[in-house]
Amino acid sequence: MIVRGLLDKKFLEPEDVRVSTRHPAALTSLFEKYPSVQVAENNCTLVRQCSRVLLCTKPLDTIRVLSEISGDLQEDTHLVSIAACLPMEQIARFFPGPVTRVVPSLTGEMSSGVTLLCHNAAVTQSAAKETDDLFRALGNVVVIDEENIDVATDLTSCGPALIAVLIDEFARAAVRHSTLSEEQAHLLAVSTLSGTARLLDEQGYPVETILRRVATPGGITEEGVKQLQSDMPRVYDTLIQRTLAKYGLRKTDVRAEADRLLGREF
Ligand SMILES: NC(=O)c1ccc[n+]([C@@H]2O[C@H](COP(=O)([O-])OP(=O)(O)OC[C@H]3O[C@@H](n4cnc5c(N)ncnc54)[C@H](OP(=O)(O)O)[C@@H]3O)[C@@H](O)[C@H]2O)c1
């Protein structure tokens, strides 16, 4: 999705992109559309050929790939990792140079939503700006402190799933209490979500404005709003506590794998 977004929007030229993957067949449609995208022989070859390297593997695989490529990275190679649960301090154990953590979101497929970025101190201002600008191909870009990256990831990257489930549950409840079909309820809920997102985002309406215009005091909408305002803080607090606990577990696994790989090497 990232490579396609950058190429489709012409933020990168296909000749400037090299990919390394264990299964090139999975990228057939990319190569059909962009035949000039080159496939490197392996990860180490790719790293030697590129000034900016984007690591798009799962967190544990990223640690393994880092261990594999560390000897081939130049000290000024700009490493960009999209792995969740892989803090800068773990990456620095393999590569002390410029690193950017990026949190993409599926919403990037629509050139919308937010890509989070977080640069370490070794990333120059111009490299940071260039990287931020590159990811604008996928929608909005927000640079944040690493300490907030997990909670921000919940909002942006887990967000599409969390919001889709929320709206799905709203539609399911409507079906349980009416003769609406699932399709009808889904259509009504999703269209309303889309329209509300546009009011909040494009129109810049504050939530309070929407409440004032829809939820008349003592009226029916207000009844529903009161219910949500009473229940949702607890639901979201629990949700964030659970995801933070999971991030913590994953980070422990990543640290253990890094220890194992570094212990084996030295
Ligand atoms: N999905 C999201 O919405 C999302 C959002 C934000 C961040 N992320 C982060 O993005 C990363 C990737 O997630 P994903 O959902 O895209 O996972 P994915 O679909 O499983 O993609 C991972 C890719 O890494 C490749 N790979 C694994 N080991 C490799 C190696 N040694 N050398 C070369 N390629 C290798 C895999 O190819 P094989 O076929 O060879 O295994 C696969 O194509 C994760 O770290 C995740 O935290 C994902």
Side-chain angles (χ1 to χ4, degrees):
M1 182 197 85
I2 294 171
V3 173
R4 268 171 212 285
L6 295 175
L7 292 174
D8 287 351
K9 287 281 170 67
K10 305 198 183 312
F11 279 48
L12 281 182
E13 293 303 322
E15 306 69 57
D16 294 332
V17 176
R18 284 171 174 70
V19 295
S20 171
T21 173
R22 296 185 298 197
H23 299 101
L27 296 177
T28 304
S29 63
L30 176 74
F31 301 138
E32 279 171 3
K33 188 164 181 192
Y34 298 107
S36 337
V37 169
Q38 297 170 49
V39 186
E41 202 177 312
N42 55 48
N43 294 337
C44 294
T45 313
L46 176 130
V47 162
R48 286 197 295 274
Q49 296 169 336
C50 295
S51 54
R52 185 190 292 117
V53 173
L54 188 52
L55 294 173
C56 298
T57 41
K58 299 272 192 201
L60 281 176
D61 287 330
T62 306
I63 282 287
R64 293 169 193 141
V65 171
L66 273 172
S67 168
E68 177 191 348
I69 64 175
S70 58
D72 293 285
L73 290 162
Q74 307 296 312
E75 60 183 27
D76 60 349
T77 305
H78 185 180
L79 206 57
V80 179
S81 163
I82 70 163
C85 313
L86 179 51
M88 299 279 197
E89 61 172 5
Q90 292 305 323
I91 299 177
R93 295 173 73 188
F94 296 89
F95 176 65
V99 176
T100 295
R101 283 185 68 185
V102 170
V103 184
S105 169
L106 184 62
T107 50
E109 213 166 275
M110 305 301 293
S111 302
S112 148
V114 174
T115 301
L116 299 169
L117 281 97
C118 164
H119 307 287
N120 76 0
V123 179
T124 62
Q125 265 189 355
S126 66
K129 183 178 179 320
E130 209 177 294
T131 313
D132 299 349
D133 288 344
L134 206 54
F135 280 93
R136 288 187 215 288
L138 303 177
N140 300 303
V141 159
V142 175
V143 178
I144 55 163
D145 291 336
E146 193 178 26
E147 64 179 2
N148 290 323
I149 207 162
D150 296 342
V151 170
T153 297
D154 278 1
L155 288 172
T156 60
S157 186
C158 309
L162 299 177
I163 289 171
V165 164
L166 200 65
I167 209 69
D168 188 48
E169 289 299 339
F170 191 13
R172 282 170 192 273
V175 170
R176 287 196 294 276
H177 295 276
S178 70
T179 56
L180 286 170
S181 68
E182 280 184 19
E183 292 72 26
Q184 284 174 318
H186 179 84
L187 175 76
L188 299 182
V190 171
S191 277
T192 307
L193 173 70
S194 166
T196 309
R198 292 187 64 188
L199 288 172
L200 288 165
D201 192 14
E202 290 172 31
Q203 205 70 8
Y205 278 15
V207 173
E208 295 71 27
T209 302
I210 294 187
L211 289 180
R212 185 171 44 77
R213 294 192 56 184
V214 181
T216 326
I220 290 163
T221 308
E222 192 189 57
E223 210 53 36
V225 168
K226 278 183 186 165
Q227 179 67 35
L228 288 177
Q229 287 176 333
S230 146
D231 286 355
M232 293 315 271
R234 183 181 43 81
V235 170
Y236 279 119
D237 283 342
T238 309
L239 184 154
I240 289 181
Q241 281 158 4
R242 286 184 65 165
T243 57
L244 287 180
K246 193 87 175 190
Y247 287 115
L249 289 175
R250 290 272 157 80
K251 283 181 202 167
T252 306
D253 292 345
V254 159
R255 197 180 320 117
E257 184 61 3
D259 289 348
R260 187 185 73 77
L261 288 162
L262 291 166
R264 196 179 62 189
E265 280 172 12
F266 302 117

